[in-house]
Amino acid sequence: MFPRIREITDAFGGRLQVSVEEHPSGALVVLERPDMLGRPRVMLDGYGVDVLSGYIMSARLAVPDTLPDEHIDGVFATRFRLGLDPCAALALTQSSGPALDIPAPFWDRLYAELCLVAAHARELGRRAEARVH
């Protein structure tokens, strides 16, 4: 069943790919923009997925106003930022590469997909723990 890959598209041909892969700690979630030059991508563990889900909802409630940045640390340290100009978009930045921009038209479908992904990630984490013991 893994890797699990889903693609979200918008009305203008934009694409956001969401995948879940097995990882020694359980699961790794990869977000990638295959339609953008350089294919920006970020990798998140379960903690990052939970924070991103909450940040999406906070951004939806905040627009057209600003929202403070969120930062997570660890192996998959990420900065989450809401940009408003020229249009509402989330920017996810990791030290390993350029920002991954997620425009507002993707937010609802991405949020729903992250709910599914989080469940898969928890199960893979549970299985990883069972293999260790």
Side-chain angles (χ1 to χ4, degrees):
M1 177 171 172
F2 296 97
R4 177 189 181 277
I5 302 169
R6 298 292 185 269
E7 191 164 275
I8 301 168
T9 58
D10 69 10
F12 305 105
R15 296 167 44 209
L16 174 64
Q17 194 172 76
V18 182
S19 61
V20 181
E21 302 171 1
E22 290 186 85
H23 186 266
S25 66
L28 185 64
V29 176
V30 180
L31 304 175
E32 186 173 17
R33 291 292 308 267
D35 60 325
M36 304 292 291
L37 184 62
R39 295 180 68 107
R41 65 186 294 190
V42 297
M43 296 181 286
L44 301 170
D45 57 10
Y47 170 46
V49 169
D50 287 344
V51 172
L52 176 56
S53 295
Y55 200 76
I56 289 169
M57 188 56 64
S58 293
R60 289 193 79 240
L61 296 170
V63 170
D65 297 317
T66 61
L67 183 66
D69 292 358
E70 285 288 336
H71 301 269
I72 60 171
D73 57 6
V75 176
F76 303 104
T78 308
R79 175 181 171 224
F80 303 89
R81 182 179 55 80
L82 172 61
L84 298 171
D85 188 30
C87 61
L90 301 179
L92 283 57
T93 308
Q94 294 181 321
S95 62
S96 61
L100 174 82
D101 290 328
I102 305 173
F106 287 111
W107 295 355
D108 289 345
R109 291 187 58 203
L110 176 57
Y111 181 85
E113 189 63 31
L114 291 175
C115 290
L116 295 169
V117 163
H120 286 301
R122 280 191 301 276
E123 176 60 12
L124 287 173
R126 187 192 64 74
R127 290 179 190 177
E129 286 178 14
R131 285 191 301 266
V132 171
H133 297 291

